Amino acid sequence: MATGETQIDNGIFRVTKWTIEPGDAIPMHVHEYEYAVVPLVSETMHVINADGSEIVAEIRNGQSYTRPSGAEHTVENRGSRTIEFVEVEKLA
Amino acid sequence: MATGETQIDNGIFRVTKWTIEPGDAIPMHVHEYEYAVVPLVSETMHVINADGSEIVAEIRNGQSYTRPSGAEHTVENRGSRTIEFVEVEKLA
């Protein structure tokens, strides 16, 4: 199961900690807001875009990245260890 | 020595990874922008505000928090282990 814990939602930032257990995924979703991701582990994620294209994302603990709003994808953990990252969305 | 690594600066987010070695500090500074912090370790930080007040901040790996712009402080590592966190500023 993939779980999202909302840590902050103050009208400026929405911050969610995501946990994806091995074999699980965050289902297809659209990002309404620009966002930054701070990985808490160094692992491989498989990102399946809505157009069917696939990205193998090598995330590194503490190495952030950003993505524009409009991204639409599934995020899969095909590995054997738990994936955890923090997503920071800019609401306003 | 405390060091800040700018990971992203795209006009929307500025993301900086901070590393504070034992006995070191981030010198007094004013936060121009609203910001979120994602700790990468579970440690104690000592925050000395410009008004002289002191906060003992127990940060936890992956447990984010936000602060408003205008904060002015020094951040000290009085412990024996390296402190690391990622700061996400909302620029626009």
Side-chain angles (χ1 to χ4, degrees), chain A residues 37-39 61-64, chain B residues 7 15-18 36-40 84-88:
Chain A
V37 171
V38 182
N61 187 11
Q63 180 59 56
S64 63
Chain B
Q7 296 184 334
V15 183
T16 309
K17 181 181 178 186
W18 290 98
V37 171
V38 182
L40 300 175
E84 292 180 303
F85 60 85
V86 173
E87 173 193 33
V88 180

Side-chain angles (χ1 to χ4, degrees), chain B residues 36-82:
Chain B
V37 171
V38 182
L40 300 175
V41 297
S42 300
E43 294 291 344
T44 301
M45 296 194 309
H46 287 77
V47 180
I48 317 301
N49 294 306
D51 67 4
S53 63
E54 184 173 318
I55 296 167
V56 180
E58 304 287 348
I59 64 173
R60 290 290 166 261
N61 187 11
Q63 179 60 57
S64 63
Y65 58 91
T66 56
R67 292 289 181 274
S69 61
E72 183 173 5
H73 52 224
T74 299
V75 181
E76 298 182 0
N77 180 358
R78 299 183 188 170
S80 58
R81 291 181 296 268
T82 300

Side-chain angles (χ1 to χ4, degrees), chain A residues 12-28:
Chain A
I12 296 170
F13 291 114
R14 183 167 58 195
V15 183
T16 309
K17 181 182 176 183
W18 290 98
T19 302
I20 316 175
E21 298 296 342
D24 288 325
I26 301 173
M28 186 68 68

Side-chain angles (χ1 to χ4, degrees), chain A residues 5 7-8 10 12-13 15 17 34-36 38-40 61-67 86 88-90 92, chain B residues 5 7-8 10 12-13 15 17 34-36 38-40 61-67 86 88-90 92:
Chain A
E5 173 206 357
Q7 295 185 335
I8 297 160
N10 66 2
I12 296 170
F13 291 114
V15 183
K17 181 182 176 183
E34 185 101 10
Y35 64 106
V38 182
L40 300 175
N61 187 11
Q63 180 59 56
S64 63
Y65 57 92
T66 56
R67 291 288 181 273
V86 172
V88 181
E89 295 175 283
K90 185 189 87 78
Chain B
E5 174 205 359
Q7 296 184 334
I8 297 160
N10 65 3
I12 296 170
F13 291 116
V15 183
K17 181 181 178 186
E34 185 101 9
Y35 64 105
V38 182
L40 300 175
N61 187 11
Q63 179 60 57
S64 63
Y65 58 91
T66 56
R67 292 289 181 274
V86 173
V88 180
E89 296 174 282
K90 185 189 87 75

Side-chain angles (χ1 to χ4, degrees), chain B residues 1-2 20-26 75-78:
Chain B
M1 179 63 183
I20 316 175
E21 299 297 341
D24 288 325
I26 300 174
V75 181
E76 298 182 0
N77 180 358
R78 299 183 188 170

